[in-house]
Amino acid sequence: MNKKQMQYVSTIPLILLISLFIGCDADIEDKKLPPPTVAQSTITLPDRRLTDAERNKWIADYRSFGGPTTVELEVIRLINIVRANHNLSQVARDDALMMAARFYAQQARDLRGLGYRGGHNFGPYATDQSATHGASANVAAAFGGRLRWNGGNWYSSGNLSAEYLVNGWMDSEGHRRYIVSPEHRFIGVGHFPGGISYMYLSNQSSR
């Protein structure tokens, strides 16, 4: 093999490496993956309701990890753009509902696994299984969140971008109705990679 042939062969790994990076970028765009993974609480969620001490530790972890993520905050910003386009007032971030939504998303990941599909009434916070949103309402209450009958809560599984989530919710008649409801004033959003993305809307502040 002469010198020119050796130089040609030596460029093959570099070309392959560049191709892999290009392929990864395209894959990330296609799957609409969010920024870096959310830091997790040190508590492994048990299949029972948390004790007060465990809940308080989970809250301390949530705050120490920085509280709301960029994805969660971007969802709120986009929701408010939608509401402005419908001549509606902005919804304000509610800290208790933010924590409840993140906890609910983590619970779905830990207790239902990556195959989570549908059903808002499961796990240790569930009421009877015939209810529709028992678990989500009970999680909100456990973190001090206040919901009434018109409080909307739903999920979208996977590691998705804020734009993807909001567009998907707006494409669903039921979810869209909650987002553009003039009664809602407060919002909580929880995104947990590998689990679900969850939102609460309420006409009552948790303060």
Side-chain angles (χ1 to χ4, degrees):
M1 183 180 295
N2 60 37
K3 185 177 181 180
K4 186 175 181 179
Q5 289 174 320
M6 290 179 65
Q7 288 177 335
Y8 172 77
V9 172
S10 67
T11 62
I12 293 177
L14 178 59
I15 293 171
L16 290 175
L17 184 60
I18 292 172
S19 299
L20 286 173
F21 275 117
I22 292 173
C24 288
D25 287 342
D27 190 52
I28 289 172
E29 180 60 27
D30 290 344
K31 293 183 179 179
K32 302 182 183 300
L33 296 180
T37 303
V38 176
Q40 300 183 31
S41 171
T42 56
I43 295 176
T44 300
L45 301 188
D47 194 7
R48 58 170 172 76
R49 299 195 181 195
L50 298 185
T51 65
D52 287 346
E54 288 173 330
R55 183 201 58 208
N56 292 341
K57 178 62 170 64
W58 190 96
I59 291 173
D61 284 352
Y62 173 89
R63 289 173 174 159
S64 69
F65 292 141
T69 66
T70 54
V71 172
E72 292 165 352
L73 294 176
E74 181 65 2
V75 166
I76 296 174
R77 188 184 74 84
L78 294 175
I79 290 294
N80 277 325
I81 289 176
V82 170
R83 289 179 64 85
N85 290 338
H86 286 77
N87 298 314
L88 297 171
S89 62
Q90 305 285 278
V91 286
R93 191 176 83 205
D94 184 284
D95 290 340
L97 292 179
M98 293 292 289
M99 289 186 287
R102 173 83 67 79
F103 179 85
Y104 189 88
Q106 182 182 355
Q107 180 181 233
R109 200 288 301 270
D110 288 1
L111 301 185
R112 290 293 294 270
L114 300 180
Y116 180 88
R117 291 292 184 277
H120 297 275
N121 197 48
F122 71 92
Y125 289 88
T127 51
D128 67 280
Q129 293 302 312
S130 63
T132 304
H133 291 90
S136 54
N138 288 335
V139 167
F143 283 83
R146 299 179 66 188
L147 292 177
R148 289 183 60 185
W149 65 270
N150 65 326
N153 35 74
W154 52 88
Y155 79 96
S156 181
S157 54
N159 300 352
L160 306 175
S161 70
E163 292 83 359
Y164 189 95
L165 290 170
V166 174
N167 288 339
W169 287 330
M170 287 299 292
D171 285 341
S172 166
E173 182 179 352
H175 299 156
R176 184 179 185 278
R177 185 169 61 249
Y178 279 112
I179 289 173
V180 299
S181 169
E183 298 180 63
H184 290 141
R185 293 289 184 272
F186 303 94
I187 188 171
V189 178
H191 174 82
F192 202 93
I196 67 171
S197 300
Y198 208 74
M199 182 187 301
Y200 287 102
L201 286 163
S202 179
N203 60 0
Q204 296 186 81
S205 170
S206 300
R207 296 180 180 178

